[in-house]
Amino acid sequence: FVGALSPLAMELEQLAAQVEELQRRNEELGMENEMLQDFLERQRDKWDEGISTPGGAPMGKNVGKKAGRAAEKTLDRDEKHRIACQEVETLTKDIQNTKKTAEQNLDLLKALMEETEIRQAEVKRAAYEFRRDIVVGAENPRTGKTMAEKVLKYLEDELTTKDVYVRKMLAKNQTYKTQINKAQRQLKSKQDHDDLQYIDF
């Protein structure tokens, strides 16, 4: 009876190994199908126009109708390799673009944080000066009320300071625009000069 179980146990082990192999193969096919699906989605526009498939056969709209089931085929190793290489190249470009965008966003966020910190320091300084000059300094010692003239003078001084700053920034902006225009003219002149060098008289 024990001897009769031995072949059955061996058969079960073989079946388990076959199932495991089939599962592994299914996973591989699943990954291949996913990669091919991504590739087909990227190439759909080109193929709709009748451009060749990776294997070299035209992928027009009538191919499936004429060939029927004969059009269905398994990709060979070279075709899979070509598709995989294209997908790796596309994914590498996507990763590089994403990294570049992330770095730009990080630089922008850093600049915004620095600007926020500067603005926060300016607000703190302005609040301190207002308290010093107006809340405490402009108080009438006899009545205990804030003197309106000092408040007005403080506000006028602040507005004058802001106005000077705005004019300074506008002048700086105009200088930058002039420099940019000058650099663009020099670049255009250099490009025109380089183009003339290639003309054969």
Side-chain angles (χ1 to χ4, degrees):
F1 185 70
V2 175
L5 286 177
S6 180
L8 183 61
M10 289 175 58
E11 188 177 345
L12 285 175
E13 285 181 9
Q14 289 176 351
L15 288 173
Q18 289 176 359
V19 167
E20 188 176 340
E21 177 63 21
L22 285 172
Q23 287 176 340
R24 185 188 65 78
R25 183 65 184 141
N26 280 340
E27 288 178 5
E28 289 178 0
L29 288 173
M31 288 188 289
E32 287 181 5
N33 286 337
E34 187 177 346
M35 181 181 65
L36 182 59
Q37 183 179 356
D38 291 340
F39 176 79
L40 290 175
E41 287 176 1
R42 287 191 179 94
Q43 301 297 322
R44 182 181 300 153
D45 294 338
K46 294 179 182 177
W47 288 3
D48 285 345
E49 296 169 5
I51 296 175
S52 299
T53 62
M59 190 72 177
K61 293 182 179 178
N62 296 326
V63 170
K65 293 178 183 176
K66 291 180 180 178
R69 292 191 175 271
E72 297 178 8
K73 65 173 190 132
T74 303
L75 296 175
D76 61 27
R77 186 174 296 163
D78 290 338
E79 290 171 328
K80 289 180 182 179
H81 180 262
R82 194 178 309 117
I83 290 173
C85 288
Q86 289 184 20
E87 283 300 294
V88 167
E89 185 178 341
T90 302
L91 288 173
T92 302
K93 287 179 181 176
D94 289 345
I95 290 170
Q96 289 173 347
N97 290 336
T98 304
K99 185 178 179 182
K100 185 178 178 182
T101 304
E103 288 173 353
Q104 290 173 346
N105 290 339
L106 184 60
D107 291 340
L108 179 62
L109 288 173
K110 285 181 179 178
L112 288 173
M113 284 180 63
E114 289 176 6
E115 185 180 344
T116 302
E117 289 172 359
I118 292 170
R119 183 69 183 139
Q120 186 179 11
E122 288 176 354
V123 169
K124 284 183 179 180
R125 182 179 53 79
Y128 169 77
E129 290 176 355
F130 183 81
R131 178 174 175 75
R132 181 193 66 198
D133 297 339
I134 303 302
V135 177
V136 177
E139 185 178 309
N140 190 323
R142 188 170 52 84
T143 61
K145 294 182 179 179
T146 303
M147 292 181 278
E149 311 85 47
K150 288 196 175 184
V151 175
L152 287 173
K153 185 177 183 316
Y154 175 83
L155 293 176
E156 286 173 357
D157 290 345
E158 284 293 312
L159 288 173
T160 302
T161 303
K162 297 286 182 189
D163 189 47
V164 169
Y165 179 76
V166 167
R167 292 184 186 201
K168 184 180 177 183
M169 289 297 108
L170 286 172
K172 201 171 187 181
N173 191 26
Q174 189 60 40
T175 303
Y176 286 145
K177 283 183 180 178
T178 305
Q179 290 175 351
I180 289 170
N181 289 334
K182 183 179 178 183
Q184 286 176 340
R185 284 195 302 271
Q186 288 175 346
L187 181 62
K188 189 174 185 307
S189 174
K190 185 178 183 306
Q191 288 174 343
D192 293 341
H193 180 68
D194 290 344
D195 290 342
L196 287 174
Q197 287 181 348
Y198 293 109
I199 296 175
D200 187 9
F201 292 103

